[in-house]
Amino acid sequence: MRPILLPDPPSLSTGVPDIFEQGGAQNVVRRAVVIGNGFPGSENQCIGLVRALGLANNHLLYRVTRPKGGINEWLHWLPVGFHKKLDFILRHIYLYSRLMLGSKQSKYISSVPSENGGNVGLASILEADVKSIVNMARQTYEKDGPLVVIACGRDTISIASSIRRLASENVFVVQIKHPRSHLNRFDMVITPRHDYYPLTLEAQEQVPRFMRSWITPREPPQDHVVLTTGALHQIDYASLRKAASAWHDEFAALPKPLVVVNIGWPRSNCRYGADLAKQLTDSLLNVLATCGSVRIALSYKTPAKVSRVIFKELGDNPKVYIWNGQEPDPYMGHLAWGDAFVVTADSVSLISEACSTGKPVYVVGADHCKWKIAEFQKSLRERGVVRSFTGFEDMSESWSYPPLNDTAEAATRIRRELAARGWSLRS
């Protein structure tokens, strides 16, 4: 197969690794704060953007965590601040009731641990991260310059918006994924274009009229909203070259073409089961003659009924290797050495990362998807970035497209907005 040449990456500055570098000018951004929610998919987008900004060695990670266990597993639909407040109150009511009943556990009532440990009051549960980051941004501004704050996910919205409200002159706040309302709470919002699918006539026709006012977003993107094709991530020219070197001994000798199959898991807008697994294995068996080798990676969330079909149909085939989930994870090696990819339609992240390589990407199960995920699939097909996996392909055929470059393009927009404010990234 003809090798695909990736475009040169944007110039990245490594700089001095100390996040609090001495003697910097006030208009130079040299550090970042990431606000994550504990989910790898969301935090991966933040770290990818930090890398594209050249701040990979100069960032701190904070997490917004929710109470866990018991009734809390049923309360994740609540705003995270209210959820923590409710958990705090419920735990103290429980301990107080035990005290009134003369429980031996009453001695612990003065020491109720927070999600992050230690003794806490109500204010610190809701505001600790905000206060810490705001104080850091203000107190180190003279010495270290402005702070870029990058957050992703629903639970981070209140934290990120509060930081901007309290330290707007010291920070530039970026929210990844659409926050649903009040977008002016952030300096920039980065979200996939398909998040605006509910505004289209096609989408409106799918929603009963009385429910349309509840569907977000309700208005077109504003000037500070950056629309991407897919998800942000950490895959770029440099990371692929590094992975190619790290995995050379395992992949270099494999028969070509190497076809990589990435299997995700069903979502609310892309449901499937053993039926899609059987369709996938039948199609792979059909194209196996044109494959040199096949590597299959299942997600830790892939349902057992799907994985059982994969192992039953392909587990004993000498051309096929199925990763069993043991470390080290070969995912980066797959991206670097794979000649073509087959990906289940449910995962925007898996597809976006595969499409950043410029190599052939085939999608299976797009007909199981609806709403915004279906719109995402449609946009990729129209751009010629992906093709449907039918089982009649010649996998040795090479075809290419301009690789998705959403992360680098988003970083360019941030640089432009910083420049408009009179700030620049360290060079």
Side-chain angles (χ1 to χ4, degrees):
M1 296 180 72
R2 178 172 58 83
I4 303 299
L5 297 178
L6 292 173
D8 290 335
S11 176
L12 299 180
S13 168
T14 55
V16 180
D18 183 5
I19 193 170
F20 297 115
E21 184 186 45
Q22 296 292 330
Q26 293 180 20
N27 64 340
V28 178
V29 177
R30 51 178 55 81
R31 65 235 169 93
V33 159
V34 168
I35 305 175
N37 58 4
F39 292 96
S42 295
E43 294 182 1
N44 181 52
Q45 297 199 57
C46 295
I47 302 301
L49 186 56
V50 167
R51 281 174 50 88
L53 292 171
L55 300 173
N57 294 324
N58 298 316
H59 76 274
L60 295 174
L61 173 63
Y62 289 80
R63 281 203 175 110
V64 179
T65 57
R66 283 181 176 270
K68 297 179 180 178
I71 192 174
N72 288 305
E73 303 306 315
W74 299 90
L75 299 177
H76 280 197
W77 56 273
L78 292 171
V80 65
F82 184 76
H83 186 182
K84 286 188 173 183
K85 180 188 293 187
L86 181 61
D87 174 71
F88 180 87
I89 294 171
L90 290 176
R91 286 187 294 117
H92 278 72
I93 290 175
Y94 171 76
L95 291 177
Y96 184 75
S97 67
R98 301 287 293 186
L99 176 64
M100 292 297 99
L101 293 173
S103 169
K104 294 180 181 180
Q105 296 180 18
S106 62
K107 62 183 178 180
Y108 298 117
I109 192 167
S110 62
S111 179
V112 182
S114 73
E115 199 67 19
N116 296 316
N119 297 334
V120 299
L122 185 58
S124 61
I125 289 179
L126 300 177
E127 302 293 337
D129 287 339
V130 171
K131 291 180 179 179
S132 172
I133 297 170
V134 166
N135 287 337
M136 177 179 66
R138 288 173 174 171
Q139 295 170 8
T140 62
Y141 179 74
E142 296 288 335
K143 180 180 65 174
D144 300 300
L147 187 67
V148 170
V149 178
I150 301 174
C152 183
R154 178 172 64 96
D155 287 349
T156 69
I157 291 173
S158 61
I159 303 293
S161 60
S162 295
I163 291 169
R164 180 178 182 268
R165 176 172 54 84
L166 296 171
S168 59
E169 296 183 355
N170 311 110
V171 299
F172 186 88
V173 178
V174 179
Q175 184 71 34
I176 301 174
K177 295 186 180 179
H178 201 287
R180 303 305 169 205
S181 63
H182 305 297
L183 274 62
N184 57 356
R185 292 175 290 174
F186 310 96
D187 294 298
M188 181 176 290
V189 173
I190 301 174
T191 192
R193 186 171 283 102
H194 58 259
D195 268 356
Y196 281 88
Y197 174 70
L199 294 180
T200 65
L201 180 61
E202 177 184 355
Q204 291 287 310
E205 291 175 348
Q206 299 178 48
V207 180
R209 186 174 297 276
F210 73 91
M211 291 184 60
R212 290 178 186 175
S213 61
W214 294 87
I215 304 296
T216 58
R218 300 187 183 92
E219 54 188 33
Q222 302 166 24
D223 291 341
H224 72 305
V225 176
V226 177
L227 298 180
T228 63
T229 300
L232 305 188
H233 50 73
Q234 299 187 54
I235 311 304
D236 57 16
Y237 181 84
S239 63
L240 288 175
R241 288 198 62 174
K242 182 178 180 180
S245 175
W247 289 91
H248 176 275
D249 293 346
E250 179 156 351
F251 290 110
L254 291 178
K256 297 289 188 177
L258 168 59
V259 176
V260 173
V261 182
N262 288 325
I263 301 174
W265 66 91
R267 324 285 175 108
S268 59
N269 286 324
C270 199
R271 299 187 182 279
Y272 58 86
D275 55 337
L276 183 64
K278 189 61 168 67
Q279 175 189 331
L280 172 60
T281 56
D282 288 347
S283 296
L284 286 172
L285 289 170
N286 283 343
V287 302
L288 208 54
T290 65
C291 301
S293 48
V294 176
R295 304 262 310 193
I296 299 178
L298 302 167
S299 166
Y300 71 99
K301 287 188 177 181
T302 301
K305 59 186 177 183
V306 171
S307 58
R308 278 196 298 267
V309 174
I310 302 297
F311 278 98
K312 177 183 177 182
E313 300 295 329
L314 298 171
D316 296 328
N317 194 296
K319 275 191 174 184
V320 179
Y321 171 85
I322 304 175
W323 180 53
N324 61 6
Q326 298 297 313
E327 295 292 342
D329 186 342
Y331 183 71
M332 288 300 300
H334 285 168
L335 288 178
W337 284 95
D339 296 302
F341 302 92
V342 178
V343 188
T344 53
D346 55 272
S347 177
V348 174
S349 294
L350 288 176
I351 295 172
S352 298
E353 290 170 345
C355 291
S356 71
T357 67
K359 302 172 187 178
V361 177
Y362 299 93
V363 174
V364 61
D367 54 324
H368 289 248
C369 299
K370 60 183 181 179
W371 200 239
K372 293 188 292 186
I373 303 301
E375 181 68 9
F376 170 64
Q377 301 292 343
K378 177 183 175 183
S379 70
L380 293 182
R381 290 193 300 270
E382 290 176 347
R383 291 180 54 170
V385 176
V386 303
R387 298 179 183 177
S388 296
F389 186 53
T390 63
F392 298 102
E393 293 80 7
D394 179 352
M395 301 305 288
S396 65
E397 176 191 357
S398 178
W399 49 276
S400 62
Y401 48 87
L404 292 189
N405 209 23
D406 286 326
T407 310
E409 291 170 2
T412 298
R413 279 291 303 273
I414 291 177
R415 289 188 179 94
R416 190 181 307 157
E417 294 302 318
L418 291 175
R421 186 179 286 195
W423 296 351
S424 64
L425 285 163
R426 182 181 53 199
S427 58

